[in-house]
Amino acid sequence: MTPGRRGKTARMRWWRLRRNPLRRRSYLVEAWLLLAASVLAVLAAVGTGAWTALAVERHIDALRAGRHSVSAVLIEDAVRTVGTAEGSDSYRATVRWTAADGTRRTGLAHVDPGSEVGTTTHVWLDGRGRLVPTPATATQARIEGAVLGVWAAAGAAGAVLLVGRVLSGRLERRRLDQWDADWARVGPKWGHKTG
């Protein structure tokens, strides 16, 4: 883009703010509305994204703090299960572990492929001693928080911009109705209409 053309483009972008005998008040209102919507969209994106990322990380940290690992022994060979969400095979087996109160418990847990009877593995338990999935690491929590924060930021910014565009569209419709009313008043004074 040539320098002269770029300056003209920048001037055209701000035409609603320039003084002009044909400029209506609604043009100025629309310009400020779009500017305010843009600023609010940035603020909403930053605030919502940061809050969401922090909330997700805290939630995952709380889940991890409420779980603990114990040693368990396989009492059957690992069995392959297909069709997991990750698209890879998963292996499960019945395991036995000793609870905090000294009782022996059994349950079905995810295990390493090829694990056989008598193999020792680690399983995760919640505060009530029930088997639960392996909790996310701190790094995984940060990544999940960042991803969800970005999505939340995009959603918040999109919502604010959408509201701004809807209000801008209403102003445009109102302005066109005013132009029609003005033309209906002035047009007949000019004489014969063609078409």
Side-chain angles (χ1 to χ4, degrees):
M1 190 179 271
T2 62
R5 182 109 173 103
R6 184 175 181 178
K8 185 175 182 179
T9 304
R11 281 194 307 267
M12 290 300 292
R13 194 174 306 149
W14 298 103
W15 68 270
R16 287 180 174 96
L17 298 176
R18 291 193 324 233
R19 294 204 181 273
N20 182 332
L22 297 177
R23 183 187 77 188
R24 294 177 179 250
R25 181 181 300 169
S26 63
Y27 288 129
L28 193 58
V29 170
E30 184 179 10
W32 283 108
L33 172 73
L34 293 176
L35 179 64
S38 299
V39 170
L40 284 175
V42 169
L43 293 175
V46 170
T48 304
W51 181 83
T52 301
L54 185 62
V56 167
E57 284 184 50
R58 284 184 178 170
H59 176 70
I60 292 174
D61 289 344
L63 282 177
R64 189 173 49 249
R67 296 178 180 180
H68 62 281
S69 175
V70 296
S71 292
V73 177
L74 275 71
I75 57 175
E76 69 177 7
D77 290 341
V79 177
R80 183 175 73 165
T81 58
V82 266
T84 62
E86 297 84 25
S88 63
D89 293 342
S90 164
Y91 291 83
R92 298 182 138 220
T94 303
V95 296
R96 181 178 56 234
W97 71 93
T98 304
D101 61 3
T103 60
R104 291 184 173 248
R105 297 196 181 170
T106 60
L108 194 60
H110 287 281
V111 295
D112 294 330
S115 298
E116 298 177 349
V117 173
T119 305
T120 301
T121 186
H122 288 280
V123 295
W124 288 85
L125 305 175
D126 64 7
R128 295 182 179 174
R130 295 178 299 192
L131 282 174
V132 291
T134 304
T137 64
T139 302
Q140 290 170 331
R142 278 193 296 277
I143 291 170
E144 189 171 339
V147 169
L148 292 176
V150 166
W151 279 104
V160 170
L161 291 175
L162 180 63
V163 168
R165 293 309 290 169
V166 166
L167 293 175
S168 175
R170 286 187 179 177
L171 282 172
E172 180 68 22
R173 279 194 300 275
R174 182 175 174 209
R175 191 167 38 248
L176 290 175
D177 290 343
Q178 288 174 345
W179 276 108
D180 286 343
D182 289 349
W183 185 251
R185 223 177 21 255
V186 174
K189 294 180 183 178
W190 283 8
H192 179 69
K193 291 184 180 179
T194 60

